[in-house]
């Protein structure tokens, strides 16, 4: 607790004694300033700035006083991490920007810069400064404030001068071609090698060098370094200066004087080059200069032999590719260096590789000429294709001509022989194109085919030329084959000097047949119905045997007993068969019949079949299509019935004759007059009766309506036109001239 706080405490205590029991209401104020954090007398620590807090203190007498704390907390600065510069090397008297990297400023702090040592000569404030550099300098920076000073960070900036002067230039030495030594001369022959040297007293900083120029300072650069070698064509002044990062110095100069000597030509120009042997070209000197009393001399093959001409131009006719030279001879400096040119001439050699013997049916694309791209000519040649069909058989000459880009032309001739091709076979036949497995077929080639000398007929199986070779013959024109499976056979002519002929072929189909017939079930009774035979594999075969007709079996025709059924399948020339048996047993069913006369309402004339000795339920199939027993409403005719039982046994009862019995008419017994368009009327028609009387009664015997027409329909109404309800009604039908009467029910459904 500082002095001010203690003073406040004493005042509070004094007031407390004077006020007696009112001492706890005493108040006071404590103002404090701290860096980063502050701990008050009661142990409470504060880190935030501008804090106002209230504290209660208790004195020794137990009385409380309230003190208001007004606190200001200032922050300390943090160390910078580095210093950055806009450049580390600058020219003298140039400005440079320096920047603080990292760190932070505390309360009431600033960055301070020094240029001699940390804490020495202040050169600026702030996070960055701009300063003028006059010499190599090390700069320092740190944060300074009320709470603390940070450590310093520094950077060194080097300065470079704007220019460094040369002391002098000198001719160091020249090369004397006569003595083959380097000597110091004031005057030299043109194009002589001269070494120039620059003199300086102080070493150059990095990035500085000497540049050399010709005829003016700052013109095109001719060299760099302490010394250079030059080859002046005439008297020339050379300049040198120091150039570096911060600029260039003034130039120093030196003049090299030349004698009245010749200058070597820069090139030789030819009026033509790359031409055929025998052609001519004119050579001309390009550039260069003759000294007094000097001439241009021309040479062939080397620049020292016999002179072949003089002057600025020369016309030559080389016999082969030749190198020509020219130089100046005479004057104060003697001979200049030589310039050369290569004149290309061509002795065009045309060559063609030999051609093989050609067959008349095989045109070929001609190739093998060198150089490539020439032209072919001769009999049978069209656009570089030799067609022996045009040239014909025998010996022929083909000419190959080539013209190069220089219009040089040469030719060569190639002999070629055309031979007859192997003859294509014409026709081929097989004695059998379809055979069964194990049989053979003879394949015959037409005898009109002719073979060349050395050729044969080659027979292949599978494919032509690449299949299995099965025979080769010269006189025999047929082979016999026994394939196990369907096979293709080919023949062609091979041998001699010509390629094989085209193939012709034939296919021999081989069949391996097997057939199977499933077993048949037993038949009970020779009256069993006729049925279609099945179970043969492959399908499509033919059935045969007793009782078999068009694939159907008739037990009645076959009769009782065991019968062989043969199934025959045919494919091409091959036939396969299988046999199974059908057994027709005697039926145990015995059938009798009786004819019974009933009223028409009870069925009329009935034929009643009486069956016995069968098993299970009996089935009946009458000759008129009925399937019920007894047969109702039998007519005056003959009937039969086929009776079956649960064991599929069959017995036929036939020749049942019905005669002289009254006929009954089958009449519909239900209709629905509900106007839905379906069965709305009871329609009756008796075209064979002269007189018809139909009377309808209800269940109590009351007459409802009567009809007397041959053809009529009833709509379910009474004769008064009233609608009858659903129910069963009854009718009496009388017909003339048959004098028959029939009764029965009629039901109305609404």
């Amino acid at each position: 607790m500082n002095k001010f706080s203690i003073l406040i405490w004493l005042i509070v205590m004094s007031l407390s004694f004077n006020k007696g029991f009112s001492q706890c209401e005493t108040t006071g104020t404590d103002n404090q300033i701290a860096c980063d954090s502050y701990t008050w007398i009661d142990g409470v620590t504060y880190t935030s700035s501008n804090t106002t807090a209230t504290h209660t203190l208790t004195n020794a007498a137990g009385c409380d006083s309230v003190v208001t704390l007004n606190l200001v907390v200032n922050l300390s600065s943090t160390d910078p991490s580095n210093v950055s510069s806009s450049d580390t090397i600058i020219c003298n008297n140039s400005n440079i920007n320096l920047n603080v990297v990292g760190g932070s400023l505390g309360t009431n702090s600033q960055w301070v810069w020094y240029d001699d040592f940390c804490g020495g000569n202040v050169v600026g404030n702030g996070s960055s400064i701009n300063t003028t550099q006059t010499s190599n300098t090390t700069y320092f920076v740190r944060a300074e404030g009320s709470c603390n000073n940070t450590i310093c960070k520094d950077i060194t900036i080097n300065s470079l001068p704007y220019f460094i002067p040369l002391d002098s230039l000198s001719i160091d030495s020249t090369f004397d071609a006569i003595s083959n030594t380097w000597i110091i001369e004031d005057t030299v022959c043109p194009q002589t090698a001269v070494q120039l040297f620059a003199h300086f007293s102080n070493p150059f900083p990095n990035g500085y060098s000497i540049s050399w120029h010709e005829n003016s300072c700052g013109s095109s650069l001719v060299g760099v370094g302490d010394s250079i070698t030059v080859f002046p064509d005439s008297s020339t002044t050379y300049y040198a200066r120091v150039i570096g990062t911060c600029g260039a110095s003034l130039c120093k100069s030196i003049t090299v004087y030349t004698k009245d000597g010749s200058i070597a030509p820069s090139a030789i120009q030819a009026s033509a080059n790359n031409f055929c042997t025998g052609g001519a070209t004119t050579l001309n000197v390009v550039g260069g200069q003759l000294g007094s009393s000097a001439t241009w001399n021309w040479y062939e093959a080397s620049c020292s032999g016999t002179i072949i001409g003089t002057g600025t131009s020369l016309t030559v006719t080389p016999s082969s590719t030749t190198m020509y030279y020219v130089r100046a001879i005479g004057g104060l400096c003697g001979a200049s260096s030589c310039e050369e040119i290569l004149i290309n001439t061509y002795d065009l050699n045309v060559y063609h590789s030999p051609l093989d013997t050609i067959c008349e049916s095989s045109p070929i694309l001609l190739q093998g000429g060198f150089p490539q791209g020439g032209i072919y000519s001769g009999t049978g040649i069209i656009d570089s294709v030799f067609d022996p069909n045009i040239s014909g058989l025998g010996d022929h000459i083909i000419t190959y001509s080539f013209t190069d880009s220089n219009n040089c032309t040469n030719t060569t001739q190639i002999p070629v022989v055309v031979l007859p091709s192997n003859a294509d076979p014409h026709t081929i036949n097989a004695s059998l194109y379809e055979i069964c497995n194990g049989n053979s077929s003879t394949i015959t080639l037409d005898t009109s085919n002719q073979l060349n000398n050395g050729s044969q007929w080659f027979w292949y199986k599978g494919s032509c030329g690449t299949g299995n070779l099965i025979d080769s013959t010269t006189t025999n024109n047929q082979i016999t084959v026994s394939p196990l499976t369907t096979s293709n056979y080919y023949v062609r002519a091979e041998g001699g000097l010509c390629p094989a002929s085209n193939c012709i072929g034939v296919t021999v189909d081989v069949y391996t047949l097997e057939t199977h017939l499933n077993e048949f079930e037993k038949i009970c009774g020779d009256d069993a119905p006729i049925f279609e035979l099945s179970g043969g594999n492959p399908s499509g075969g033919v059935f045969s045997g007793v009782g078999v007709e068009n694939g159907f079996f008739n037990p009645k025709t076959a009769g009782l007993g065991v019968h062989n059924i043969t199934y025959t399948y045919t494919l091409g020339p091959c036939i396969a068969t299988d046999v199974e048996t059908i057994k027709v047993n005697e039926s145990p069913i015995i059938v009798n019949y009786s004819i019974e006369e009933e009223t028409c309402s009870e069925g009329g004339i009935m034929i009643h079949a009486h069956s016995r000795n069968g098993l299970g339920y009996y089935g009946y199939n009458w000759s008129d299509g009925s399937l019920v027993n007894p047969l109702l409403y039998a007519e005056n005719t003959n009937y039969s019935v086929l009776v079956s039982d649960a064991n599929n046994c069959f017995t036929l009862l036939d020749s049942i004759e019905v005669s002289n019995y009254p006929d009954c008419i089958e009449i519909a017994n239900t209709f629905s007059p509900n106007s839905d368009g379906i069965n709305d009327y009871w329609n009756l028609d008796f075209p064979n009766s002269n007189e018809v009387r139909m009377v309808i009664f209800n269940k109590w015997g009351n007459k409802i309506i009567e009809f007397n027409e041959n053809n009529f329909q009833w709509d379910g109404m009474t004769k008064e036109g009233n609608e009858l309800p659903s129910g069963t009604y009854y009718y009496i039908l009388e017909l003339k001239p048959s004098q028959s009467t029939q009764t029965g029910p009629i039901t109305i459904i609404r």
Side-chain angles (χ1 to χ4, degrees):
M1 197 171 183
N2 57 24
K3 294 180 180 180
F4 179 76
S5 298
I6 296 173
L7 177 61
I8 295 299
W9 174 257
L10 293 175
I11 294 172
V12 169
M13 292 299 100
S14 174
L15 292 174
S16 297
F17 283 113
N18 293 330
K19 289 185 177 182
F21 291 103
S22 300
Q23 59 185 340
C24 294
E25 297 179 358
T26 301
T27 60
T29 301
D30 187 6
N31 297 314
Q32 295 294 326
I33 298 175
C35 289
D36 297 330
S37 65
Y38 175 76
T39 301
W40 206 59
I41 190 171
D42 60 0
V44 177
T45 299
Y46 296 92
T47 59
S48 60
S49 180
N50 300 328
T51 298
T52 299
T54 300
H55 295 265
T56 300
L57 301 177
T58 302
N59 60 16
C63 293
D64 295 334
S65 296
V66 177
V67 179
T68 297
L69 174 64
N70 295 317
L71 175 65
V72 175
V73 178
N74 294 326
L75 298 178
S76 298
S77 299
T78 61
D79 296 333
S81 60
N82 208 343
V83 179
S84 66
S85 169
S86 57
D87 204 340
T88 57
I89 299 177
I90 64 172
C91 299
N92 285 343
N93 299 317
S94 297
N95 289 348
I96 187 170
N97 291 321
L98 303 177
N99 298 278
V100 176
V101 178
S104 64
L105 292 175
T107 305
N108 299 323
S109 297
Q110 64 177 346
W111 297 109
V112 181
W113 296 83
Y114 306 93
D115 66 355
D116 48 0
F117 60 89
C118 190
N121 182 44
V122 176
V123 294
N125 298 304
S127 59
S128 65
I129 62 170
N130 182 278
T131 184
T132 300
Q133 180 87 6
T134 59
S135 61
N136 296 345
T137 305
T138 299
Y139 297 91
F140 302 83
V141 66
R142 70 179 178 183
E144 298 180 2
S146 59
C147 285
N148 70 314
N149 292 340
T150 65
I151 64 172
C152 272
K153 286 294 181 178
D154 62 83
I155 187 171
T156 299
I157 306 299
N158 294 319
S159 297
L160 295 178
Y162 275 97
F163 62 90
I164 301 174
L166 291 174
D167 295 335
S168 62
L169 301 180
S170 66
I171 299 175
D172 187 50
S173 62
T174 59
F175 183 77
D176 184 3
I178 298 176
S179 63
N180 198 30
T181 59
W182 289 89
I183 60 176
I184 298 176
E185 291 185 350
D186 294 333
T187 304
V188 298
C189 288
Q191 297 181 324
T192 300
V194 178
Q195 284 188 338
L196 302 178
F197 189 80
H199 302 277
F200 52 90
S201 56
N202 296 318
F204 298 151
N206 290 336
Y208 284 76
S209 63
I210 300 173
S211 64
W212 295 82
H213 308 271
E214 185 179 282
N215 294 323
S216 67
C217 185
S219 62
S220 298
L221 189 69
V222 296
V224 176
D226 297 351
S227 66
I228 62 170
T229 300
V230 295
F231 301 86
D233 290 336
S234 59
S235 297
T236 304
T237 300
Y238 295 93
Y239 297 84
R241 64 181 177 180
V242 179
I243 296 179
T245 305
C246 294
S249 67
L250 297 176
C251 277
K252 296 289 185 178
S253 65
I254 189 170
T255 300
V256 178
Y257 298 95
T258 58
K259 300 176 182 179
D260 181 17
S262 299
I263 300 174
S266 59
I268 299 175
Q269 185 178 42
S271 61
N273 205 340
N274 301 313
F275 51 85
C276 299
T277 301
T281 183
T282 298
L283 308 178
N284 291 278
V285 174
V286 177
Q289 178 180 318
L290 290 175
S292 299
S293 303
T295 60
W296 295 114
N297 286 11
W298 294 88
Y299 305 90
E300 182 181 270
S302 66
C303 189
S304 60
T306 302
I307 298 174
I308 61 173
T310 60
T312 57
S313 64
L314 177 71
T315 299
V316 294
T317 304
S319 59
S320 62
T321 296
T322 303
M323 185 76 79
Y324 292 94
Y325 301 86
V326 67
R327 67 178 176 180
I329 297 294
L332 295 177
C333 293
S336 70
S337 61
C338 275
E339 186 59 38
E340 62 186 31
I341 188 173
L342 179 67
I343 301 299
N344 291 305
T345 63
Y346 296 100
D347 288 326
L348 182 60
N349 294 318
V350 178
Y351 168 81
H352 201 288
S353 59
L355 294 176
D356 294 333
T357 299
I358 301 172
C359 295
E360 62 176 333
S361 61
S362 304
I364 62 170
L365 176 65
L366 294 172
Q367 52 188 0
F370 182 83
Q372 297 180 358
I375 298 174
Y376 292 93
S377 60
T379 304
I381 295 177
I382 301 175
D383 295 334
S384 299
V385 174
F386 178 69
D387 190 346
N389 291 311
I390 299 176
S391 67
L393 302 176
D395 297 336
H396 301 277
I397 296 296
I398 296 174
T399 300
Y400 178 73
S401 303
F402 181 82
T403 300
D404 65 10
S405 59
N406 300 305
N407 290 321
C408 298
T409 301
N410 202 353
T411 62
T412 186
Q413 293 183 326
I414 316 101
V416 64
V417 179
V418 178
L419 297 178
S421 299
N422 278 314
D424 292 333
H426 294 162
T427 57
I428 189 172
N429 297 286
S431 60
L432 293 173
Y433 291 94
E434 296 178 337
I435 64 174
C436 296
N437 195 348
N439 294 338
S440 300
S441 178
T442 298
I443 302 174
T444 304
L445 185 65
D446 186 358
T447 57
S448 64
N449 293 284
Q450 298 295 323
L451 289 170
N452 294 338
N453 291 333
S455 296
Q456 293 180 309
W457 296 118
F458 278 69
W459 297 84
Y460 294 93
K461 178 181 179 182
S463 60
C464 184
T466 58
N468 295 326
L469 179 64
I470 57 176
D471 198 3
S472 60
T473 62
T474 55
T475 57
N476 187 12
N477 62 340
Q478 67 179 25
I479 60 170
T480 299
V481 295
S482 301
L484 299 178
T485 59
T486 296
S487 301
N488 297 320
Y489 295 93
Y490 301 89
V491 64
R492 69 178 182 182
E494 297 182 20
L497 297 177
C498 288
S501 69
N502 294 319
C503 269
I504 59 174
V506 67
T507 299
V508 177
D509 292 317
V510 179
Y511 301 100
T512 301
L513 293 186
E514 292 182 359
T515 188
H516 173 73
L517 182 60
N518 296 333
E519 293 182 358
F520 294 104
E521 294 182 358
K522 295 177 181 179
I523 300 174
C524 184
D526 57 358
D527 291 325
I530 298 173
F531 64 91
E532 186 176 7
L533 295 169
S534 62
N537 186 37
S539 62
V542 177
F543 292 93
S544 61
V546 178
V548 178
E549 183 177 358
N550 295 328
F552 288 84
F553 180 73
N554 190 337
K556 180 62 73 175
T557 303
L560 300 176
V562 178
H563 307 282
N564 288 332
I565 304 298
T566 302
Y567 180 72
T568 303
Y569 182 77
T570 302
L571 180 63
C574 303
I575 299 174
T577 61
D578 192 14
V579 178
E580 291 292 340
T581 60
I582 291 180
K583 184 177 183 181
V584 181
N585 295 323
E586 185 176 359
S587 174
I589 302 173
I590 298 174
V591 183
N592 301 104
Y593 73 94
S594 62
I595 298 177
E596 303 169 8
E597 182 177 356
E598 300 291 337
T599 65
C600 283
S601 62
E602 297 296 330
I605 302 302
M606 295 189 301
I607 304 175
H608 204 145
H610 306 283
S611 305
R612 63 183 185 277
N613 295 343
L615 178 65
Y617 175 81
Y618 290 104
Y620 298 88
N621 190 350
W622 295 88
S623 55
D624 68 347
S626 298
L627 301 176
V628 296
N629 185 44
L631 176 66
L632 305 178
Y633 305 108
E635 299 179 357
N636 292 333
T637 184
N638 292 332
Y639 290 89
S640 64
V641 62
L642 181 63
V643 181
S644 61
D645 66 358
N647 277 342
N648 278 334
C649 291
F650 295 88
T651 296
L652 179 66
L653 178 63
D654 59 0
S655 302
I656 302 173
E657 183 178 356
V658 177
S659 61
N660 301 322
Y661 292 101
D663 291 332
C664 286
I665 299 173
E666 293 190 51
I667 298 176
N669 58 10
T670 304
F671 74 108
S672 57
N674 54 8
S675 300
D676 62 355
I678 302 174
N679 199 25
D680 285 335
Y681 298 95
W682 190 33
N683 296 305
L684 297 175
D685 187 12
F686 308 101
N688 298 323
S689 300
N690 295 333
E691 295 182 18
V692 176
R693 182 172 181 263
M694 168 69 79
V695 182
I696 300 172
F697 303 88
N698 61 19
K699 61 182 178 180
W700 293 285
N702 298 323
K703 181 180 176 180
I704 296 174
I705 194 169
E706 179 178 337
F707 298 96
N708 297 104
E709 296 87 7
N710 291 50
N711 185 342
F712 65 90
Q713 60 179 218
W714 183 38
D715 57 3
M717 299 289 187
T718 66
K719 62 182 178 179
E720 291 83 10
N722 297 321
E723 184 180 277
L724 292 171
S726 297
T728 301
Y729 301 85
Y730 302 90
Y731 67 86
I732 295 176
L733 176 64
E734 295 177 353
L735 301 174
K736 293 180 180 182
S738 62
Q739 302 297 327
S740 63
T741 301
Q742 181 172 325
T743 64
I746 176 65
T747 301
I748 294 176
I749 302 174
R750 292 191 183 275

